[in-house]
Amino acid sequence: MTASSSGTSSLEERQRAIERCIDWVETYGRRRMEDDGSSQDHPHVLKLDRIQFITTTDASTGTDKNATPMVGVFAKDSIRKGDTLVTIPEACVLSESHPLLKDLASVCIDPAMKVYRDNLTAQWKQTSNTRNPWNSFEKDQTQGRVFCQDELRLALQLTLLVYVHRVKASIGGTLGDAATHFKSYLEALPPSYESLIFHWTDEEMEILKGTACHAVSLRLRREVEDNWEQSFASVLLEYLQQKQDKVDSTLLKESYLHAICSIYSRMHSLDSANFASSTVTAETNTRTLCPLVDMINGDKEYSPRCNAHVLQYPGIHVAVQATRDIAKGDEVLFSYGQISNQVFVTKFGFVPLTSTGKPLMDELDVVHVVPPPKLVWEKGDERRWKSLTSDKNKVLEWRHLTEFPPEDGTPFAFMRSTTDMAKVRGSESWRPVYLNNLHLYAMFSLSNDDGAEVVVEPWEPGSIILDMIDYRLEQMPTVTDDLAIASGTNIKTALLCRMLEREILSMWWHAIAKQYECYGETSPTTGKKYLPLRSQKEGCTVCQTAFSCPLKSCTRCKAVFYCGRGCQKEDWKAGHKEACQPVSG
Ligand SMILES: C[S@@+](CC[C@H](N)C(=O)[O-])C[C@H]1O[C@@H](n2cnc3c(N)ncnc32)[C@H](O)[C@@H]1O
C-alpha cells in the first residue's frame, strides 16, 4: 500500500530528526554548560538517559495514514516519584526573553527589520485602536538587540516562519543556509499539525457544518488570517524579498500556521526570573519552547493520572520530574491542566477522555437493544448514507457501517455504550470508531455468527424512540464542547463520527416517524409535535447548514430554524429578538 509505505518513511525521517535533536541537546547543551561552568555548580547535570522518544503513527493520527507521525516519551527503566526524568540546558531552550533568542532570531534582529517595524507601528497608530502588537519593542531602547523582546508570538512565530519557509522551499528539505544552533530542534518538529483546527481542510470544514466546532474553527481561522495580513505578511514578504529569498506567499501563510501550531501546542510557561541570563527582570511566566520536553504528550485523563511535570533550576536548565512512580515502558505524560475542551481542541487537537461536569445522558436509561423498526428508506436517506460512506470521508473506516442497512434484513441494535457494543460483538478487541459515553447511541448490524450474546428487550418503537432521538439530537450542539475522543483517534475523526451519528440518528428519526405515522402527532412525554424534517435546502437560518436532522424552530414565531442553541442565541442577539412575532398555536 502506498499510503502506509510513505507513512513509514516519514516515520523514520521523524525518528532520525529526533535522534539528531537528542544528540544536539547532549553535545551542544553540555558544551555550553561546561563553557559557563554551570554544570559544576549545580547538582543536576544534563540527563537524557532515562527516557526514550518513540514515533508512532497511530497515537494521535487515528485512521489517517498520511498524517504526521506522532511522538511519545516512554520510561526506559522504572522511575521513582521525585526522580528527574530529563534535563534540558537553558542554552537549548527557546524563550521570548532569553538572550539566546538572538542566536535563533537573527532574522528578527536584522536592522533592516527595524524599518518595517517602525512603519508598521506608525500605520498601526493611525488606523487602529487595538493594542499595537509591536508595543513592547517600543520600550526596548537597545535597538537591534532582541527585536521581538517579550513577544513569543512574534519572535518565535517570525523565526519559525522563516525557517519553515526555507525548509519547505529548499530542495533537499533541509534548513539550508539558515544556520542556527536550533536547527536540530526545528527539524524535529512535526512537519504539519493536521489534527489542529487551523489545518482542517475546506472539505472537512464542509462536513463539520452544523457543529459548534465549525463555528469556533471558522472564527479562529478568520483571526489567524487577520493576524497574518495585518502583522506578518507585509513585514516578512518585504524582508524575504530583500534577502532575495524565493517568496511564495501561500507557502508563507502555511508556514505561519505551522509556526502558530508549533508554538501553541508545545509552549511551557516558566518563571523567567529563574533564567539567570534573562534580560527581563520584572516579568514572570515567560513562555518557552523546551526541546524534547515538548515531545511529552498530554494525559488523556485529567491531572490525577499524569506522571510528570516541569521544574526549573535557576540559570541552569529545565527539568522534568516524576510526580509518581513510573513503570519501565510506561508513557511519560503531562497534565495539560483544567483547560476548556475548546482550548484542547484548538491547541492540541484532542480532548481528554474524562472531564468534569459533562452533561451525560443518564436521564435516558433506555434500551440496550431495540428490535429494528421496519425502516422505510427514502431516496434521500440512501443518498445521504452514500455520501457519508463515500471515499471522500476516508477517515471513516468503519466497515460495519458500510453494511448499513444490511440487505439481508439482519437486525440492527441501538446501543448505549461501547462496552455494550463490544459485548455484543463478542470481542474485546473490537472497537467502533466512535467510542465512549458521549457517543451513547450508535447503530450497527448484528451478525449472527460472531458468537455474541444479545439480550433483546422488545420495545414499542414509535413515539418513545422519536423522543429519545429527539432528545439526543437536541443535546448534541450543547455537548460539542465536551467531545470525548477515543484513544487512537483524533478530533477530526471524532467530529466526523459525530456528524455521522447525527445523520444516522436523524435518518432513524425520519424513518420511524414515517413508519409509525407519527408526523403531526403530539409526543406523549414531551407534549411537542413531531414535525417533518426541515428540508435540506433551507438549512439553519444562521449558519446555512443544510442538515438532514430535524432543525429546531424558534418556539415563538416558528419562522426561523436553527441547527443548535449556539446559532439560535447568535440570531437572537443579532436582531431576531426584535423581529420575532409570536404565532398562535
Ligand atoms: C507537546 S506536543 C507532544 C508531542 C507530539 N506528540 C509530537 O509528535 O511531537 C503536543 C501535540 O501532541 C499531540 N498530543 C499530545 N497529547 C496527546 C494525546 N493525549 N492524544 C492525542 N494527541 C496528543 C497533539 O497533536 C498536540 O498538539
Side-chain angles (χ1 to χ4, degrees):
M1 269 174 7
T2 43
S4 64
S5 59
S6 76
T8 314
S9 96
S10 63
L11 196 75
E12 282 161 6
E13 263 166 41
R14 181 118 202 257
Q15 188 76 52
R16 274 199 302 275
I18 289 160
E19 275 153 24
R20 283 197 301 274
C21 186
I22 295 171
D23 199 43
W24 166 71
V25 170
E26 279 179 328
T27 50
Y28 174 76
R30 189 179 296 280
R31 204 179 64 230
R32 290 292 300 263
M33 283 171 91
E34 279 163 9
D35 284 354
D36 58 19
S38 53
S39 59
Q40 284 124 42
D41 302 345
H42 207 275
H44 296 274
V45 287
L46 171 67
K47 265 188 225 149
L48 258 174
D49 56 347
R50 311 199 71 171
I51 52 175
Q52 54 189 333
F53 300 81
I54 299 177
T55 40
T56 138
T57 38
D58 58 20
S60 74
T61 53
T63 50
D64 190 351
K65 289 199 183 66
N66 295 317
T68 305
M70 162 111 166
V71 178
V73 172
F74 293 81
K76 271 191 191 160
D77 220 328
S78 55
I79 292 169
R80 303 284 294 274
K81 181 178 173 181
D83 280 1
T84 303
L85 293 169
V86 60
T87 56
I88 307 295
E90 190 186 359
C92 301
V93 175
L94 296 183
S95 107
E96 78 256 52
S97 57
H98 197 293
L100 287 167
L101 179 66
K102 270 192 285 185
D103 204 9
L104 172 74
S106 57
V107 290
C108 299
I109 59 171
D110 192 310
M113 284 293 257
K114 188 179 176 305
V115 178
Y116 306 125
R117 181 189 80 183
D118 292 346
N119 288 345
L120 202 85
T121 308
Q123 263 175 34
W124 205 279
K125 276 185 186 149
Q126 276 170 13
T127 59
S128 172
N129 299 323
T130 55
R131 187 183 155 263
N132 175 359
W134 309 84
N135 255 347
S136 40
F137 318 135
E138 288 181 302
K139 289 184 217 135
D140 183 359
Q141 297 305 308
T142 334
Q143 288 180 357
R145 192 168 48 90
V146 179
F147 170 63
C148 297
Q149 182 84 34
D150 291 332
E151 260 295 355
L152 180 83
R153 204 170 53 102
L154 296 175
L156 295 186
Q157 279 177 20
L158 279 169
T159 310
L160 290 175
L161 181 53
V162 171
Y163 286 123
V164 169
H165 170 71
R166 286 185 180 164
V167 176
K168 290 199 176 170
S170 67
I171 294 155
T174 63
L175 286 164
D177 65 347
T180 163
H181 292 297
F182 295 92
K183 182 171 179 262
S184 312
Y185 170 59
L186 296 172
E187 282 178 341
L189 292 174
S192 73
Y193 290 86
E194 291 95 340
S195 62
L196 298 194
I197 220 161
F198 308 105
H199 282 277
W200 294 354
T201 62
D202 291 342
E203 200 180 43
E204 282 159 351
M205 294 291 284
E206 188 66 25
I207 298 169
L208 293 176
K209 268 189 178 172
T211 61
C213 219
H214 181 255
V216 171
S217 73
L218 275 189
R219 202 171 48 240
L220 280 168
R221 280 155 66 118
R222 238 174 267 141
E223 268 173 31
V224 168
E225 304 248 310
D226 285 356
N227 248 350
W228 165 251
E229 267 143 40
Q230 293 178 27
S231 310
F232 288 91
S234 55
V235 176
L236 264 154
L237 282 175
E238 276 187 65
Y239 174 79
L240 290 172
Q241 268 155 9
Q242 199 206 15
K243 291 269 158 193
Q244 281 152 5
D245 257 4
K246 270 181 280 166
V247 180
D248 170 343
S249 55
T250 343
L251 191 60
L252 275 174
K253 201 162 182 175
E254 259 175 42
S255 312
Y256 172 70
L257 278 179
H258 186 272
I260 290 189
C261 295
S262 311
I263 293 170
Y264 282 24
S265 69
R266 49 194 62 228
M267 200 162 64
H268 286 279
S269 284
L270 299 178
D271 187 351
S272 64
N274 277 347
F275 276 88
S277 40
S278 167
T279 51
V280 179
T281 45
E283 296 282 327
T284 53
N285 250 347
T286 198
R287 285 155 300 173
T288 55
L289 297 183
C290 310
L292 304 176
V293 171
D294 68 3
M295 300 276 168
I296 298 176
N297 287 321
D299 200 334
K300 286 195 179 69
E301 318 257 331
Y302 277 100
S303 41
R305 255 178 39 86
C306 101
N307 54 23
H309 65 177
V310 176
L311 287 180
Q312 292 161 267
Y313 294 102
I316 308 288
H317 50 234
V318 173
V320 177
Q321 190 186 49
T323 52
R324 56 181 195 147
D325 293 348
I326 305 173
K328 180 179 176 176
D330 267 4
E331 184 167 8
V332 175
L333 297 165
F334 279 147
S335 163
Y336 287 169
Q338 291 278 2
I339 51 178
S340 82
N341 285 338
Q342 187 174 308
V343 176
F344 262 111
V345 172
T346 317
K347 279 181 67 173
F348 305 112
F350 79 99
V351 295
L353 288 170
T354 57
S355 131
T356 46
K358 194 171 285 180
L360 289 181
M361 292 270 295
D362 289 341
E363 303 91 322
L364 285 180
D365 189 16
V366 282
V367 262
H368 290 291
V369 179
V370 180
K374 287 184 194 68
L375 297 180
V376 180
W377 292 89
E378 292 201 326
K379 276 221 161 60
D381 294 330
E382 212 174 289
R383 193 182 56 73
R384 283 202 302 271
W385 180 256
K386 285 208 175 109
S387 75
L388 280 164
T389 53
S390 73
D391 273 348
K392 195 176 77 162
N393 302 314
K394 284 197 201 78
V395 87
L396 299 173
E397 283 178 2
W398 195 18
R399 65 189 168 82
H400 306 285
L401 289 174
T402 60
E403 297 159 12
F404 181 81
E407 277 164 21
D408 60 0
T410 320
F412 296 106
F414 210 38
M415 305 305 296
R416 185 149 190 237
S417 70
T418 45
T419 329
D420 286 340
M421 285 198 267
K423 234 189 279 164
V424 173
R425 297 301 306 181
S427 143
E428 278 300 310
S429 60
W430 182 80
R431 289 276 185 280
V433 172
Y434 43 79
L435 297 184
N436 84 46
N437 48 16
L438 281 175
H439 300 289
L440 288 174
Y441 302 97
M443 273 164 277
F444 60 88
S445 65
L446 293 173
S447 67
N448 296 325
D449 55 15
D450 64 2
E453 278 179 41
V454 183
V455 184
V456 179
E457 292 174 13
W459 267 72
E460 175 54 43
S463 64
I464 189 123
I465 295 186
L466 288 191
D467 280 356
M468 193 176 86
I469 301 178
D470 219 11
Y471 180 84
R472 178 77 184 117
L473 283 167
E474 200 172 298
Q475 288 293 302
M476 286 178 82
T478 68
V479 295
T480 312
D481 196 34
D482 283 321
L483 283 169
I485 311 306
S487 73
T489 57
N490 66 19
I491 192 93
K492 273 194 291 186
T493 316
L495 279 170
L496 291 170
C497 291
R498 177 175 285 268
M499 294 295 288
L500 179 64
E501 181 184 41
R502 185 187 267 280
E503 287 286 321
I504 294 171
L505 286 175
S506 59
M507 281 153 70
W508 272 67
W509 195 96
H510 184 45
I512 292 165
K514 278 191 71 118
Q515 173 71 16
Y516 292 92
E517 293 172 355
C518 293
Y519 282 135
E521 293 296 306
T522 305
S523 155
T525 28
T526 66
K528 282 191 220 154
K529 255 191 185 172
Y530 298 120
L531 296 170
L533 297 178
R534 181 160 164 76
S535 97
Q536 282 207 321
K537 257 198 227 146
E538 287 155 295
C540 170
T541 306
V542 176
C543 69
Q544 316 287 305
T545 302
F547 251 138
S548 49
C549 65
L551 293 177
K552 305 288 163 197
S553 60
C554 167
T555 42
R556 282 176 82 209
C557 68
K558 303 218 181 332
V560 285
F561 291 81
Y562 304 107
C563 65
R565 284 188 198 135
C567 280
Q568 183 173 18
K569 272 193 199 157
E570 199 175 302
D571 199 32
W572 188 250
K573 279 193 214 138
H576 184 61
K577 193 177 174 182
E578 285 81 42
C580 184
Q581 297 293 327
V583 288
S584 50

